[in-house]
Amino acid sequence: MRSAAANPKLMSPWPLGLGGRLPYPVISVSLAVGVVTLAYYVVSGAWFPDEHSQFWTSPRQITGMALTYVLILSYLSGFFIYGARRTVESVSELRPLFSAIEAETLVARLNQMPRYRFWIATGVGVLLGYANIDLRTVTTSVGVLPTWPMDLSLALGSMAVWIFASQVVYTGIENGLTLTRLGRSCIEVDLFQMQRLKPFARVGILSTLMVMGALAITPLQALDAEFRAVNYTFAFAVGLPVALLLLVLPMWGIHRRLLEEKARALAQADASIAIAERDHAANALTYLNALLERRAFLQSLHTWPMDLRGIARVGLYLIIPPLAWVGAALVEIAVQALVKAV
């Protein structure tokens, strides 16, 4: 990953700067975040508490919320570094196709953003966090209820998840916009070698996996075996559009370019067919058939740099969270049936 020192106007969000300084940064950063966050909840009393306030229905619900925040923050920290590294590696595969000097300038911007945009993304995270928790009610209980440290820690944990997720997502959006510009004007396109453009799709698919993986962790909130739709609807309403945006954005520029190249190639094929001889001579028939086959091939080309395998992977990633939620609901039903039987 590149350092923002190359351009003082840009910055690399935390923890991307650690990617080249630590051994096994994905694992080490993820574990460090998990340990620190877990210790925070142990100290606050949210880890297997003996009592709870009116904000919660059971102590196990509190543990489930704390565990969810620990795992999401740990997961996003590690995946952020991994995804940033894989993005740079994927774009490097496109270098033989670079057709403009601007291409290297765009590549140098990957995993970086202007500072003011980073703070805007942070502000969006604060707003999303505030919309997801009743922070005002929790803060009024500070110093009043005996469980206020635990209640406040969970509220702050939720806020931290939304802030960090917003920063991670916006970095993906910045990368997607950079790849859109790269694909739109800096890449040589050969309609007969579409496989060379797969790195654009690879970046989008990886970003989709990151979002869907985070959503798949949310059923841990139902550790008390009580399925609450409110724990999932807000995250799903935000996460699904974001996942689709991060999937499409890196491919959008090359998609528009392929549309233009396909239209141009079809127009050339139609012009050649229009002036081709129609007699029954062997050479004329062979040439005309070749033109018709060429046009049929061009017409069948899809203009997204994603093959069937990539499409299948995206479909699989999109159904991971619903499957996890259904699994949580089935566990709840099984636990309740077991309790009744006993």
Side-chain angles (χ1 to χ4, degrees):
M1 290 175 289
R2 299 175 183 272
S3 170
N7 190 337
K9 296 181 180 179
L10 301 177
M11 62 167 291
S12 293
W14 185 90
L16 297 187
L18 299 174
R21 302 177 184 177
L22 297 175
Y24 309 106
V26 174
I27 297 175
S28 56
V29 171
S30 182
L31 285 177
V33 170
V35 169
V36 171
T37 310
L38 178 60
Y40 171 64
Y41 281 120
V42 171
V43 172
S44 71
W47 198 250
F48 294 101
D50 296 324
E51 56 181 344
H52 61 89
S53 64
Q54 71 272 19
F55 303 123
W56 315 100
T57 59
S58 70
R60 189 163 294 181
Q61 180 193 3
I62 297 172
T63 303
M65 298 294 291
L67 180 60
T68 300
Y69 298 154
V70 169
L71 291 181
I72 288 181
L73 288 172
S74 178
Y75 167 80
L76 286 178
S77 299
F79 206 115
F80 196 16
I81 296 175
Y82 173 76
R85 178 174 294 177
R86 290 292 296 163
T87 295
V88 172
E89 291 174 356
S90 294
V91 175
S92 294
E93 295 179 22
L94 295 170
R95 276 199 165 86
L97 305 180
F98 286 178
S99 61
I101 299 177
E102 183 190 7
E104 289 295 345
T105 303
L106 290 174
V107 172
R109 291 178 58 95
L110 289 173
N111 304 315
Q112 300 180 53
M113 68 180 72
R115 291 184 181 276
Y116 77 92
R117 293 185 184 177
F118 172 79
W119 292 114
I120 290 175
T122 302
V124 171
V126 172
L127 293 176
L128 289 173
Y130 191 77
N132 194 53
I133 60 176
D134 190 358
L135 188 60
R136 184 177 180 181
T137 301
V138 173
T139 53
T140 56
S141 70
V142 173
V144 177
L145 298 177
T147 59
W148 73 263
M150 175 178 61
D151 298 332
L152 183 61
S153 70
L154 291 172
L156 293 178
S158 178
M159 183 69 73
V161 166
W162 284 107
I163 290 174
F164 188 46
S166 296
Q167 294 170 351
V168 172
V169 166
Y170 189 71
T171 304
I173 291 174
E174 282 282 326
N175 285 345
L177 292 173
T178 297
L179 289 178
T180 290
R181 291 176 58 188
L182 185 70
R184 191 73 180 88
S185 57
C186 302
I187 294 290
E188 294 180 358
V189 172
D190 185 348
L191 296 178
F192 297 92
Q193 298 187 70
M194 296 279 285
Q195 72 278 2
R196 303 175 73 185
L197 303 176
K198 285 183 179 181
F200 287 101
R202 199 176 302 138
V203 173
I205 292 173
L206 188 65
S207 298
T208 301
L209 173 60
M210 177 184 67
V211 176
M212 293 296 104
L215 291 177
I217 297 175
T218 56
L220 290 173
Q221 297 173 92
L223 193 63
D224 60 341
E226 184 173 341
F227 190 83
R228 303 171 184 86
V230 69
N231 289 342
Y232 308 93
T233 52
F234 189 81
F236 189 75
V238 175
L240 183 58
V242 164
L244 294 176
L245 174 64
L246 293 177
L247 172 66
V248 172
L249 198 55
M251 297 186 288
W252 184 250
I254 196 65
H255 165 66
R256 299 299 303 173
R257 181 76 179 282
L258 288 172
L259 279 175
E260 294 173 357
E261 291 297 322
K262 179 178 178 178
R264 181 188 59 78
L266 284 173
Q268 290 179 347
D270 288 337
S272 298
I273 292 171
I275 62 175
E277 296 182 5
R278 301 305 201 264
D279 59 35
H280 296 287
N283 290 340
L285 286 176
T286 299
Y287 179 65
L288 181 59
N289 286 335
L291 289 175
L292 292 173
E293 290 178 2
R294 179 185 180 90
R295 191 190 189 286
F297 170 79
L298 292 171
Q299 187 65 47
S300 66
L301 282 177
H302 60 83
T303 54
W304 293 95
M306 184 184 300
D307 54 20
L308 291 177
R309 183 180 178 183
I311 295 173
R313 287 173 63 186
V314 171
L316 175 62
Y317 296 159
L318 290 178
I319 65 173
I320 287 176
L323 287 177
W325 300 339
V326 170
L330 293 176
V331 169
E332 174 195 352
I333 294 173
V335 170
Q336 289 179 347
L338 180 62
V339 170
K340 290 179 180 179
V342 175

